[in-house]
Amino acid sequence: MSQTVLSIKNLAASVDGNQILKGVNLEIKAGEVHAIMGRNGSGKSTLSKVITGHPDYEITDGEIIYQGQDLSALEPHERALAGIFLAFQYPLEIPGVSNLDFLRIAYNAKRKHLDLEELDTFDFEDLIQEKLDVVKMNPAFLERSLNEGFSGGEKKRNEILQMAILEPTLSILDEIDSGLDIDALRIVSEGVNFLKNPDNATLVITHYQRLLNYIVPDHIHVMYDGKIVMSGGKELALELEEKGYDFLDEKALAAV
Ligand SMILES: Nc1ncnc2c1ncn2[C@@H]1O[C@H](COP(=O)(O)OP(=O)(O)OP(=O)(O)O)[C@@H](O)[C@H]1O
Ligand SMILES: [Mg+2]
């Protein structure tokens, strides 16, 4: 039996007093890929932010257990050190911080946490060359400020470079496909698939079935008004593409 990486039970969360998540249940085991789909505003990014510990979001009910540990006790950076990674829907630009320095500092923070010796600049350069290959990224991007002036697709590729460096146990990819051209979509997906192993897990948030042809999910969930209201296998994405989400309104009305 594979280990449970993430177990979310009846999770409710609010931001600025607005209840956004209203009872999410989700269980992800090691080696699995899960996808969350759902309308704009249904709470997908909110869920990713609550898992990673964004300070603006308050858990009002339920729990998030990661590798047997209640996450509410951990600060965002402690969650990251414990192996949780979020590829942002909108990656931040940080002028003045070189991409290479950012990656090295993040990587060394993890090494330190694991009681391993930190890598010096030269050794890190060797490692990064290997990781650049995973996403077929031009080394010139390492010298630039983090995400500053990167195109939408370049930012997304850089998120997966971070993932390749940090080798997370739980990767949450929030609309990693948005803004990618057809070749980049394939390359980024191949990178994600390459990083997959029996001990880690991936949660992909997407609007498009096409991504799931590349990153094939074991389970697909549909989020609606702050809850997961439907789950299924990879065929569910095709069904949703055909039907849209309107039928969920009818279901919700019928339940009242
Ligand atoms: N600070 C806030 N105050 C009020 N409402 C907020 C706040 N932050 C987020 N929301 C609302 O929470 C809801 C869920 O947002 P979220 O970003 O999780 O949606 P999403 O499912 O990721 O949508 P998309 O597919 O467009 O990315 C939205 O209606 C959003 O407007
Ligand atoms: Mg979102």
Side-chain angles (χ1 to χ4, degrees):
M1 267 281 286
S2 44
Q3 293 267 346
T4 300
V5 172
L6 186 74
S7 175
I8 297 180
K9 294 200 181 93
N10 194 32
L11 180 69
S14 65
V15 56
D16 295 337
N18 301 289
Q19 199 68 39
I20 311 291
L21 300 184
K22 301 175 181 173
V24 175
N25 292 290
L26 179 64
E27 178 129 342
I28 303 181
K29 292 200 162 64
E32 292 181 343
V33 175
H34 288 237
I36 296 188
M37 305 183 83
R39 268 191 192 135
N40 294 132
S42 54
K44 304 179 300 298
S45 295
T46 302
L47 178 63
S48 69
K49 288 177 193 165
V50 174
I51 295 171
T52 47
H54 192 301
D56 291 353
Y57 295 79
E58 189 195 347
I59 295 181
T60 52
D61 200 5
E63 58 181 16
I64 313 174
I65 308 291
Y66 168 74
Q67 293 188 314
Q69 185 177 20
D70 186 340
L71 274 188
S72 63
L74 298 187
E75 296 291 324
H77 75 275
E78 294 171 320
R79 300 182 198 202
L81 288 172
I84 299 178
F85 173 78
L86 173 62
F88 289 106
Q89 181 171 0
Y90 303 109
L92 290 177
E93 298 194 7
I94 309 188
V97 174
S98 93
N99 201 18
L100 183 63
D101 285 346
F102 174 80
L103 291 166
R104 187 168 45 81
I105 290 163
Y107 179 74
N108 275 333
K110 185 177 170 187
R111 301 260 312 173
K112 202 170 163 197
H113 178 72
L114 297 172
D115 276 332
L116 296 169
E117 208 179 315
E118 296 180 31
L119 290 195
D120 64 25
T121 322
F122 295 107
D123 287 339
F124 187 72
E125 293 255 4
D126 290 343
L127 175 79
I128 195 98
Q129 291 306 326
E130 185 192 306
K131 302 296 182 183
L132 284 169
D133 279 351
V134 174
V135 282
K136 313 240 177 327
M137 195 151 158
N138 184 328
F141 283 98
L142 296 174
E143 304 308 324
R144 290 171 59 176
S145 285
L146 178 62
N147 286 325
E148 193 186 20
F150 285 27
S151 76
E154 288 162 357
K155 285 179 182 167
K156 296 292 173 155
R157 205 183 282 226
N158 205 39
E159 294 291 283
I160 303 305
L161 178 64
Q162 288 170 29
M163 177 180 164
I165 291 279
L166 295 172
E167 298 184 329
T169 302
L170 174 67
S171 299
I172 306 170
L173 311 178
D174 193 355
E175 297 199 20
I176 197 68
D177 48 341
S178 71
L180 292 183
D181 69 45
I182 295 156
D183 292 336
L185 179 69
R186 186 177 44 78
I187 290 163
V188 161
S189 303
E190 281 170 3
V192 172
N193 290 333
F194 175 78
L195 296 169
K196 186 181 158 185
N197 69 44
D199 297 322
N200 65 22
T202 314
L203 179 61
V204 185
I205 297 169
T206 185
H207 286 293
Y208 302 108
Q209 189 274 330
R210 194 176 59 171
L211 176 72
L212 306 178
N213 286 333
Y214 292 100
I215 304 173
V216 180
D218 299 292
H219 302 277
I220 295 181
H221 311 280
V222 183
M223 198 137 184
Y224 178 90
D225 191 23
K227 277 191 217 145
I228 288 173
V229 294
M230 195 179 225
S231 298
K234 61 177 192 290
E235 65 291 340
L236 182 56
L238 287 167
E239 205 181 313
L240 292 168
E241 189 118 303
E242 200 178 305
K243 290 211 273 196
Y245 295 112
D246 284 356
F247 75 100
L248 292 170
D249 297 329
E250 287 148 31
K251 270 181 68 157
L253 275 174
V256 174

